[in-house]
Amino acid sequence: MITENKQEIDPSVDFLVITRPYARNFDMTEVRKNLLHALTLAHVIEKIPDEDEIEES
């Protein structure tokens, strides 16, 4: 999931992902979508891939 967007992430940036208890019910598509959203909000990556790009990977 992170490896697919590795080229967009500054190698000098460290980040920690903390999930909420309800996330244990997410499937991998939801996990990826939420993680990409969080990385975008944190300005770690510039944009969230389109839905088609998410489904293809």
Side-chain angles (χ1 to χ4, degrees):
M1 168 175 346
I2 294 292
T3 5
E4 298 163 357
N5 298 88
K6 186 176 180 178
Q7 70 279 0
E8 296 179 50
I9 299 172
D10 180 350
S12 66
V13 172
D14 292 326
F15 54 91
L16 173 68
V17 177
I18 300 172
T19 62
R20 302 286 183 203
Y22 59 82
R24 77 180 72 154
N25 299 321
F26 289 0
D27 62 21
M28 286 308 294
T29 302
E30 290 173 300
V31 170
R32 184 171 191 274
K33 184 177 178 180
N34 281 276
L35 181 56
L36 290 172
H37 178 70
L39 292 173
T40 303
L41 289 176
H43 303 285
V44 173
I45 61 174
E46 288 189 27
K47 71 175 190 101
I48 298 176
D50 295 332
E51 288 291 323
D52 294 336
E53 294 175 35
I54 291 173
E55 291 173 7
E56 290 174 8
S57 36

